Amino acid sequence: MQIISDEKIAEFKNFLEQHDFFYVIGHKDPDGDAIYSCMALAELLKAKNCSYQLLSAGPFKRPEIRSMAIFFSNQMTFLSEPERQKTGLIILDCSEMSRLGEIDGDLSNLDTFIIDHHKTADVTKKCIIDATSPATACLVQQIYEKILGTIPKKTAEYLFFGLSTDTGYFRFLNTDSAEVFRQAARLVESGANPRKTYDEMTGGKPYSTRKLLGIMLDRVERRYNNKLAVTYETMEDTKKWGQEGRDSDSLYSLLLSVDGIEAVLFVRQDTELTCTCGFRSRDKVDVSAIAQKFGGGGHKNAAGLSIDGKCADVLEKICAEFKKVL
């Protein structure tokens, strides 16, 4: 992970000074990093006496973020045209407007600043982007510390949670992560509780998610010399078992622990005409490059996308790209 340059920090401070109001938003179907990065950024704005609104298209399906839903809205505060001219849009944990989802209001043509850590992020706009950072929360922490200094307890808890969720509670980190642990140590010094965070991340899963996980595992096929694990979820599955608290992380973790598996592909039929796809891999396979070919994105070892089509057809299309790699 890189240290954000003073020039980039100055660029963000200048962005704050140029606006009277801010919309703060992360990607649709948010995870812990997206939500808690937004919460921590809101604390920075509050400390700077800046007016803001937290936006999210939701849904807040994951148990670990459900309690945060009350702080977000999918309806923009109405602003007159002169007020919009002095309004800034801060996007966290993604860079594409299409990934923000359905928001009641017009986010277009607002002066925008992006804070993101995805490999496929759009670097053409005003931004702080570091694909070597394991979480957007790490970037928000640096921004807060460089602008305001020591992080208070509540903000430290938000940032530690965001970092923990995106690193699989530090399981995905490599030997280049010393700075990440130094940042995590400062958060603990400020009051973040590692044990409490882990319990909140891993507990509270509905019984239905265990049943659905069993179905996904039962359907797994191995392809290309058993290097790719493939499974899927139908609309009937979703209707029967619901989508509250789904636990895809456990699915990916279990499959990647199988000897010889280098990548995992999961496809869910969301509607009659659309699917959501999730990819995970070990070190060698860059799943973000495959996702990007279908309009998605992410990291080298974790990516996803939404795509038009039927589950069986989508699965075969994407498998064809994995075949070229594996």
Side-chain angles (χ1 to χ4, degrees):
M1 183 180 68
Q2 303 171 8
I3 302 299
I4 300 172
S5 68
D6 291 342
E7 290 76 15
K8 279 293 180 182
I9 294 296
E11 183 181 340
F12 183 69
K13 288 174 67 176
N14 185 54
F15 181 82
L16 296 184
E17 292 164 0
Q18 289 178 343
H19 302 93
D20 296 333
F21 185 84
F22 299 90
Y23 292 116
V24 179
I25 189 170
H27 55 77
K28 63 182 177 180
D29 195 7
D31 56 10
D33 189 29
I35 289 302
Y36 284 96
S37 291
C38 286
M39 294 294 294
L41 200 282
E43 291 298 312
L44 183 152
L45 294 175
K46 194 184 303 181
K48 294 282 288 180
N49 295 316
C50 297
S51 298
Y52 66 90
Q53 182 189 20
L54 287 168
L55 296 173
S56 177
F60 286 71
K61 296 183 294 189
R62 304 169 191 246
E64 65 271 22
I65 64 170
R66 200 171 294 145
S67 63
M68 296 294 108
I70 60 173
F71 298 105
F72 292 79
S73 174
N74 63 358
Q75 296 182 323
M76 294 171 60
T77 297
F78 175 78
L79 299 175
S80 65
E81 190 56 35
E83 288 172 328
R84 281 179 63 89
Q85 296 301 317
K86 296 292 289 181
T87 294
L89 173 64
I90 303 176
I91 301 176
L92 295 108
D93 205 37
C94 75
S95 62
E96 306 90 352
M97 295 291 289
S98 60
R99 289 197 64 208
L100 300 182
E102 295 295 326
I103 297 293
D104 186 2
D106 183 12
L107 288 171
S108 64
N109 301 318
L110 290 172
D111 194 15
T112 301
F113 200 101
I114 294 167
I115 302 172
D116 190 18
H117 73 125
H118 291 93
K119 183 178 179 182
T120 52
D122 182 359
V123 297
T124 62
K125 301 173 182 176
K126 297 175 184 176
C127 63
I128 291 176
I129 293 175
D130 177 12
T132 68
S133 175
T136 298
C138 289
L139 304 178
V140 175
Q141 179 179 350
Q142 289 190 50
I143 293 168
Y144 194 108
E145 290 175 332
K146 284 177 175 276
I147 292 178
L148 294 174
T150 302
I151 294 176
K153 181 181 178 181
K154 182 165 69 171
T155 309
E157 290 172 339
Y158 291 156
L159 291 168
F160 192 83
F161 203 102
L163 168 62
S164 297
T165 53
D166 241 32
T167 60
Y169 208 74
F170 306 100
R171 289 179 295 119
F172 306 148
L173 298 180
N174 291 311
T175 55
D176 59 353
S177 303
E179 182 57 36
V180 179
F181 282 99
R182 281 190 282 269
Q183 286 195 200
R186 295 199 295 274
L187 296 176
V188 174
E189 287 174 348
S190 291
N193 186 323
R195 181 174 180 175
K196 179 183 176 184
T197 299
Y198 182 79
D199 288 344
E200 290 176 354
M201 282 176 56
T202 59
K205 298 290 192 298
Y207 172 73
S208 59
T209 66
R210 308 297 95 178
K211 296 291 288 185
L212 183 58
L213 179 60
I215 292 169
M216 300 299 98
L217 290 171
D218 190 52
R219 286 182 183 149
V220 172
E221 295 179 3
R222 292 190 294 175
R223 301 190 180 192
Y224 315 130
N225 295 320
N226 295 332
K227 293 180 181 180
L228 177 67
V230 179
T231 189
Y232 63 92
E233 177 182 332
T234 67
M235 291 175 64
E236 290 74 23
D237 296 329
T238 307
K239 183 178 180 180
K240 182 175 181 179
W241 300 109
Q243 54 183 353
E244 295 300 316
R246 61 175 58 255
D247 194 15
S248 55
D249 287 342
S250 291
L251 175 67
Y252 296 131
S253 179
L254 285 167
L255 292 177
L256 286 175
S257 69
V258 175
D259 185 36
I261 294 292
E262 294 185 15
V264 177
L265 166 62
F266 168 66
V267 179
R268 181 175 69 242
Q269 189 82 51
D270 289 322
T271 71
E272 291 289 349
L273 300 174
T274 62
C275 293
T276 297
C277 309
F279 310 148
R280 294 294 186 274
S281 70
R282 297 185 185 277
D283 288 339
K284 294 180 181 179
V285 181
D286 185 354
V287 292
S288 70
I290 295 174
Q292 198 167 23
K293 291 183 178 181
F294 297 93
H299 310 286
K300 178 182 177 183
N301 302 124
L305 58 90
S306 296
I307 186 172
D308 293 339
K310 296 286 188 179
C311 181
D313 297 332
V314 167
L315 193 149
E316 293 305 323
K317 279 185 198 175
I318 297 175
C319 279
E321 293 300 322
F322 271 104
K323 184 176 181 180
K324 297 174 184 177
V325 177
L326 297 174

